[in-house]
């Protein structure tokens, strides 16, 4: 459903949970309507966390991880699959229909990891294509999505 109608797309993912423990949520982009998702991406991920018992954290130690050509969107790192563990995140994809520039995206999220840490992530990235992006796919690096609500909004250009 991504086309030139909107100047930007906003994706909201609520209460997502993987079928397998300790999985990363990922996003992939396509220029051929979803027939393939093999576009090269570059992204940086900054995160902080605190454990459920409030005894351990890395709030003061922001870390950046650079990713090249991977499908993992570093938002819900090590996502847990216990009944009380879930995560929520958002992704903004500005100007996906542009055919002269590479595409950028911004994302942030929060989730409960497999080892009971609350993790907050901030991601920014670039898809190395000048073709229009017309499909987006979210998935865990392995296994299935047990539950979650996915909503897409379009920001109309004025």
């Amino acid at each position: 459903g991504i086309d030139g109608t909107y100047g930007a797309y906003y994706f909201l993912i609520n209460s997502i949970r993987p079928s397998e423990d300790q999985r990363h949520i990922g996003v992939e982009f396509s220029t051929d309507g979803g027939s393939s998702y093999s576009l090269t991406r570059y992204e940086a991920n900054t995160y902080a966390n605190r454990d459920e018992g409030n005894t351990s954290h890395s709030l003061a130690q922001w870390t950046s991880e650079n990713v090249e050509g991977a499908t993992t969107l570093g938002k819900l790192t090590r996502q847990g699959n216990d009944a009380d563990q879930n995560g929520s995140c958002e992704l903004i994809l500005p100007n996906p229909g542009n055919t002269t520039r590479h595409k950028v995206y911004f994302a942030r999220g929060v989730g409960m990891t497999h080892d009971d840490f609350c993790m907050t992530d901030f991601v920014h990235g670039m898809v190395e294509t000048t073709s229009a992006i017309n499909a987006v796919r979210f998935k865990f690096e392995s296994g299935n999505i047990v539950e979650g609500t996915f909503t897409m909004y379009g920001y109309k250009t004025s």
Side-chain angles (χ1 to χ4, degrees), residues 14-17 76 79-80 82-88 110-112:
N14 282 314
S15 299
I16 191 170
R17 194 165 56 92
L76 300 177
Q79 182 67 38
D82 291 349
D84 66 344
Q85 295 172 331
N86 70 85
S88 294
V110 63
M112 186 60 75

Side-chain angles (χ1 to χ4, degrees), residues 73-121:
L73 182 64
K75 292 161 51 56
L76 300 177
T77 307
R78 302 183 329 261
Q79 182 67 38
N81 74 336
D82 291 349
D84 66 344
Q85 295 172 331
N86 70 85
S88 294
C89 53
E90 61 185 354
L91 176 105
I92 299 171
L93 177 63
N95 207 11
N98 184 294
T99 57
T100 59
R101 294 183 179 88
H102 291 157
K103 310 308 173 286
V104 296
Y105 56 93
F106 314 92
R108 62 184 174 175
V110 63
M112 186 60 75
T113 65
H114 73 289
D115 53 356
D116 294 325
F117 275 79
C118 180
M119 181 160 298
T120 301
D121 285 273

Side-chain angles (χ1 to χ4, degrees), residues 34-55:
S35 294
S36 66
Y37 287 91
S38 59
L39 299 173
T40 301
R41 290 185 306 110
Y42 302 88
E43 72 181 30
N45 170 10
T46 303
Y47 65 91
N49 62 38
R50 180 171 288 281
D51 76 324
E52 190 174 55
N54 202 28
T55 59

Side-chain angles (χ1 to χ4, degrees), residues 5 13 17-18 22 25-26 33 45 56 64 66 69 76 80-81 99 116 126 140:
T5 303
I13 303 170
R17 194 165 56 92
Q22 194 174 345
I25 183 68
N45 170 10
S56 177
S64 181
N66 293 312
L76 300 177
N81 74 336
T99 57
D116 294 325
M126 179 197 67
F140 282 102

